[in-house]
Amino acid sequence: MSINQIVMIVAGFMVLLSVALTHFVHPNWMWFTVFIGANMFQSGFTGFCPLVIVLKKLGIGQEA
């Protein structure tokens, strides 16, 4: 699995989790959704994604 696929899976999961937390726990969890969206937005322009750095350091998603 490529590192881009892993990033998309994690981002999608985090968005779904934050929406569920907003609905079932407290409305302020919406700020978590806003943070994820803002991070994805800036990553599209700058190419900087903290998750990619973490995954590379862990050796995950590296092609053999």
Side-chain angles (χ1 to χ4, degrees):
M1 191 177 302
S2 74
I3 203 160
N4 287 334
Q5 288 174 311
I6 295 170
V7 168
M8 296 304 288
I9 289 168
V10 171
F13 174 76
M14 296 303 281
V15 168
L16 292 174
L17 176 66
S18 64
V19 170
L21 287 169
T22 299
H23 181 74
F24 293 111
V25 178
H26 194 276
N28 279 339
W29 278 103
M30 185 58 69
W31 290 108
F32 188 42
T33 311
V34 170
F35 170 76
I36 295 166
N39 189 33
M40 291 173 66
F41 183 76
Q42 70 81 25
S43 178
F45 285 105
T46 65
F48 173 74
C49 179
L51 179 59
V52 171
I53 295 168
V54 171
L55 291 174
K56 284 183 179 178
K57 286 187 179 185
L58 293 174
I60 300 172
Q62 304 277 332
E63 302 301 319

